[in-house]
Amino acid sequence: MNLSGVLFFPVTPYDSAGALAQDVLAEHIGRGLAHGTGGVFVACGTGEFSALSQSEHARAVRVAAETVRGAVPVLAGAGGPLGAALEQARTAREAGADGLLLMPPYLTQGTAAGFAEYVRAIAAELPVIIYQRGSVVLDPATVVELARIPGVIGLKDGLGDIDRMQRIVLAVRREIGPDFTFFNGLPTAELTMPAYRGIGVELYSSAVFAFAPEIATAYFNGDDRLITEFYAPLVELRSKAPGYAVALVKAGLRLRGLDVGPVRAPLTDLTPEHLAELDSILKNGLALVGA
């Protein structure tokens, strides 16, 4: 699977009644395609994976696949209880997804062998990128064994432990080869990309691309001013409340004129004060890139 450039994680829009707004999702994804994303990850963390019903998940993936029409890979979120993850994987395959971003199992923790069997079952449906975060904290030997499972094609890191990731990357490159995909999946990943590039990880997910693709693309193309002038204050704002990693993106989209609705509980939307702060940060970033 050829993932390249800035990886796009669209939000899941809701209408005034709180239902999935499929037309808005299609428009949202279309805007991202127009700015040259290298992959679309639908119904994942930014897409409020944990808040979606199985039906909503399936419809969101279908909208993404029909909008993208093969232009770039489409991956869907899957995870939680094994039965639910398998249903998500199967409906994603039927909808036309190219692969899955595998979220951690919900609450249950087992052995490395047990996690490998969980991954093996889901990877039999579609290619899988494992998401290291929360309860999934992997050592180099475990990642090598997971990478040997047919259908396991990559690892997204949401921990930010650079020492651990350096050892994982070295072990996988030595034992498996160069085709296994790694990418930085921290919130506002741009701020930590200098460190990830230092260990050979070039790909990253961009929450900013979802609401300000002009800024995300300018950073990708080398505008380092944005680290101090845009990304650093955005990360400071994001840290002011749990769940703001998603709420900021939805608020940013609304500020840009796309009504994607609020976040779903237990997440909460920005306070008026924080929304005004986001508006100022966003305007400054857009001015810097001439947008």
Side-chain angles (χ1 to χ4, degrees):
M1 186 181 301
N2 182 26
L3 293 169
S4 61
V6 182
L7 304 180
F8 174 28
F9 283 65
V11 304
T12 299
Y14 309 123
D15 62 22
S16 58
L20 175 66
Q22 295 182 194
D23 291 346
V24 180
L25 177 58
E27 181 179 351
H28 178 36
I29 293 172
R31 291 185 182 188
L33 288 173
H35 282 271
T37 182
V40 175
F41 288 70
V42 66
C44 294
T46 305
E48 297 179 83
F49 167 81
S50 61
L52 301 178
S53 69
Q54 296 284 41
S55 171
E56 288 172 327
H57 179 279
R59 284 185 284 132
V61 177
R62 187 170 298 281
V63 168
E66 290 175 351
T67 302
V68 171
R69 296 186 180 276
V72 297
V74 172
L75 291 92
L82 180 59
L86 286 171
E87 183 175 346
Q88 290 154 358
R90 290 163 185 157
T91 57
R93 187 189 66 229
E94 292 164 2
D98 301 292
L100 303 168
L101 178 63
L102 187 57
M103 309 290 187
Y106 180 65
L107 289 180
T108 303
Q109 290 182 274
T111 63
F115 181 64
E117 289 308 306
Y118 175 85
V119 172
R120 189 184 308 276
I122 298 163
E125 300 294 335
L126 273 175
V128 159
I129 293 173
I130 296 167
Y131 195 177
Q132 175 172 247
R133 64 172 293 178
S135 62
V136 176
V137 180
L138 306 170
D139 58 50
T142 300
V143 178
V144 168
E145 291 308 306
L146 291 170
R148 297 190 193 281
I149 295 173
V152 175
I153 62 171
L155 178 73
K156 174 184 179 181
D157 181 49
L159 295 181
D161 184 335
I162 295 297
D163 174 77
R164 179 184 299 273
M165 276 301 294
Q166 175 70 93
R167 292 183 287 114
I168 287 172
V169 170
L170 290 173
V172 171
R173 294 289 182 245
R174 181 178 63 246
E175 300 294 332
I176 305 298
D179 293 334
F180 192 81
T181 298
F182 291 101
F183 68 92
N184 174 2
L186 290 173
T188 321
E190 287 90 343
L191 199 62
T192 53
M193 274 312 295
Y196 278 86
R197 289 192 179 106
I199 62 170
V201 176
E202 296 290 338
L203 279 174
Y204 61 95
S205 57
S206 176
V208 170
F209 187 90
F211 68 93
E214 306 93 334
I215 296 172
T217 302
Y219 170 79
F220 180 79
N221 290 333
D223 190 341
D224 291 333
R225 299 173 302 161
L226 293 164
I227 289 291
T228 55
E229 299 297 323
F230 174 78
Y231 286 104
L234 184 70
V235 169
E236 287 296 320
L237 176 57
R238 190 195 71 213
S239 69
K240 291 183 177 180
Y244 266 16
V246 177
L248 280 171
V249 178
K250 281 200 152 178
L253 280 162
R254 292 193 297 270
L255 288 170
R256 301 297 306 277
L258 187 64
D259 186 2
V260 293
V263 294
R264 280 182 175 171
L267 301 181
T268 55
D269 286 303
L270 274 62
T271 65
E273 176 187 358
H274 291 160
L275 181 60
E277 189 175 343
L278 175 62
D279 189 30
S280 176
I281 294 168
L282 179 56
K283 285 176 178 174
N284 184 55
L286 291 170
L288 281 169
V289 300

